[in-house]
Amino acid sequence: MTRRRLYLRAGLYAEGPSDYDFLLPLLDRLLSSLALSLFPGACDVEDSLGIDAPHAARGERAGRISAAIADRWAECTLFVIHADGAGDPRSARQSCVDPGIDAARCASPNVVAVPCVPVRETEAWMLVDVEIFRTLLGSGAQPSLPAEPEREADPKLTLGRLLKEGGMRRKPECLYRLFGEEVNLAALRTLPAFRIFETELVEAIRAVARAQGWPG
């Protein structure tokens, strides 16, 4: 008898190219880690897809999110909708994420979607792990990472400054994928906004499992 396996593939709708560069590999790692803990040995996780509204889809952000989900509905089992919090993540979620998810669910009530809303910008999530900076700048590098990255007024500026001070000549955006591939998940879990995201991602995985016939 073939053992049942959970299938996961996320579609990521993000604000810009650099957000996809960072969040796609991070999402792959996070989904694999969570799936392994929830369904050990019984889960297949495919690489996440960057999604966007088809070229013909125009209008407000909510409509574009809904169109992007509809366009990749057959390929993905859950969707992650990113928006920078700009200092007020609750408001950003309500105005930039929830309407799009609601619009998608009007068309397909079974859509499983998760908001991903850093307090300000995703760059704050790159400021939690000194080891990545040592990989990039040398093992002796001692960058002064902020104690509370999500309180940084301009985390993108802080990231660029730390890399420049360490002698990095490449543009920070060229390194975002590496940060997504290597940033320590335990360090990320010290950030409140990331913990919210991870908690909701766990619930999304469970919702996908129920839709695929798993109990509970």
Side-chain angles (χ1 to χ4, degrees):
M1 181 176 178
T2 302
R3 186 182 179 188
R4 176 183 296 168
R5 298 185 66 82
L6 176 66
Y7 176 76
L8 290 175
R9 187 172 208 178
L12 170 68
Y13 185 97
E15 288 200 345
S18 61
D19 296 306
Y20 285 103
D21 288 343
F22 173 66
L23 289 173
L24 280 171
L26 175 62
L27 184 56
D28 287 341
R29 294 171 55 216
L30 191 56
L31 280 172
S32 294
S33 173
L34 295 176
L36 181 63
S37 65
L38 293 168
F39 301 93
C43 187
D44 296 317
V45 182
E46 295 284 348
D47 289 346
S48 301
L49 297 175
I51 69 170
D52 200 355
H55 183 69
R58 300 185 183 276
E60 297 182 353
R61 178 178 168 92
R64 297 196 303 273
I65 291 171
S66 178
I69 290 174
D71 187 53
R72 296 302 187 105
W73 175 252
E75 298 170 81
C76 301
T77 60
L78 64 91
F79 297 88
V80 173
I81 312 301
H82 160 256
D84 285 335
D88 189 350
R90 179 174 296 183
S91 176
R93 175 173 177 152
Q94 291 173 346
S95 62
C96 298
V97 177
D98 290 346
I101 294 175
D102 291 343
R105 286 176 177 158
C106 283
S108 301
N110 294 326
V111 164
V112 177
V114 182
C116 176
V117 187
V119 172
R120 292 189 182 276
E121 300 170 318
T122 52
E123 284 81 2
W125 292 6
M126 304 178 203
L127 299 172
V128 297
D129 184 3
V130 71
E131 293 305 321
I132 298 180
F133 287 85
R134 289 173 178 158
T135 297
L136 292 167
L137 306 176
S139 59
Q142 298 290 338
S144 299
L145 301 188
E148 297 182 82
E150 291 199 319
R151 289 184 177 272
E152 290 290 295
D154 191 337
K156 185 173 184 177
L157 183 66
T158 301
L159 176 67
R161 175 180 56 78
L162 290 171
L163 290 170
K164 185 176 180 180
E165 289 175 353
M168 176 58 62
R169 295 185 179 182
R170 297 171 65 187
K171 292 181 178 180
E173 291 82 0
C174 297
L175 306 171
Y176 281 20
R177 178 165 293 278
L178 176 66
F179 277 95
E181 292 170 345
E182 299 293 339
V183 64
N184 185 278
L185 295 180
L188 279 172
R189 291 178 180 122
T190 67
L191 304 180
F194 182 83
R195 290 200 300 271
I196 291 171
F197 170 53
E198 184 176 44
T199 296
E200 294 192 273
L201 195 57
V202 167
E203 292 307 310
I205 294 171
R206 288 176 172 151
V208 171
R210 290 192 295 270
Q212 294 181 13
W214 289 76

